[in-house]
Amino acid sequence: MSLVELIARADARGLAGSGLACLDRCVPLLDGGDEVLRPLWAALADDAPAGPGWARELDRVRDALAGPDATGEDESVVLARRMLAAAPAECSGAGLRAWADACSAASLRIHRLLDPATDAAALGDGVRREDGADALSPLVAAELRRQLTVLDALAGNGPAGLRRALEISTEGRRVLRAVVSRRARGRG
């Protein structure tokens, strides 16, 4: 099943987990620590993920990751900031589906922008999420696989699926942190 189809079929917890996982993998761009999103993961693990815990923790995370005005920031950082800003306060409804879909596209775009094997000048609008990982650069292909695996893990598996999604996101965050670090050294 394609990424677009998996997002279309996901329940509220799956959508929130998918969007959060994309954001989690991109946290290095926001200078966030490895544990900054942990309270949001915990809010999703509760029996009622649509409860007030999500909104409260989302406000705390936004405060913790508040950065400068986006003027002059790298496109990848701007996309990560938009993911966080667009997160819905209510962990249900059509807004959640739109956020998960936008996070998926933004995360793939970020990985494409940061991939050293990709010519930034030749980048198009994004990555086709209906297809497999064929003909994608290694960093983007790995992100696409992570997104598919996260959605599969979250499909009807409740809190156990969230644990697996968090593990996958932690791995992806480490990869992106290394890419960001290498890129910063190359500029300096």
Side-chain angles (χ1 to χ4, degrees):
M1 207 176 297
S2 76
L3 186 57
V4 172
E5 291 169 323
L6 286 171
I7 290 171
R9 292 180 180 204
D11 63 7
R13 187 183 307 233
L15 292 169
S18 174
L20 182 56
C22 289
L23 179 59
D24 198 348
R25 288 189 297 277
C26 295
V27 157
L29 294 167
L30 303 177
D31 295 326
D34 288 345
E35 299 296 317
V36 71
L37 297 180
R38 188 67 75 154
L40 283 173
W41 285 106
L44 285 181
D46 290 342
D47 288 335
W54 170 266
R56 182 179 55 252
E57 296 305 336
L58 182 58
D59 286 341
R60 289 181 187 164
V61 167
R62 284 182 175 143
D63 288 344
L65 294 176
D69 186 351
T71 306
E73 282 188 318
D74 186 79
E75 182 183 353
S76 58
V77 175
V78 171
L79 289 167
R81 290 203 186 288
R82 285 183 189 156
M83 272 195 272
L84 178 58
E90 199 169 311
C91 201
S92 63
L96 186 58
R97 188 169 308 282
W99 179 65
D101 190 56
C103 285
S104 169
S107 184
L108 287 166
R109 175 77 179 161
I110 287 167
H111 282 76
R112 191 169 184 200
L113 287 166
L114 296 176
D115 196 325
T118 303
D119 177 10
L123 290 177
D125 287 339
V127 175
R128 287 182 42 105
R129 296 177 301 144
E130 295 84 12
D131 302 330
D134 297 340
L136 296 175
S137 64
L139 191 64
V140 177
E143 172 59 11
L144 181 59
R145 281 190 301 273
R146 281 186 197 96
Q147 288 189 28
L148 290 166
T149 306
V150 163
L151 282 161
D152 280 338
L154 293 170
N157 293 319
L162 283 171
R163 279 191 295 282
R164 178 71 180 127
L166 180 56
E167 290 169 4
I168 294 162
S169 292
T170 299
E171 171 200 344
R173 183 177 349 103
R174 288 180 184 139
V175 169
L176 197 66
R177 191 175 303 283
V179 169
V180 168
S181 177
R182 197 172 316 123
R183 190 174 189 215
R185 283 192 310 268
R187 288 182 179 171

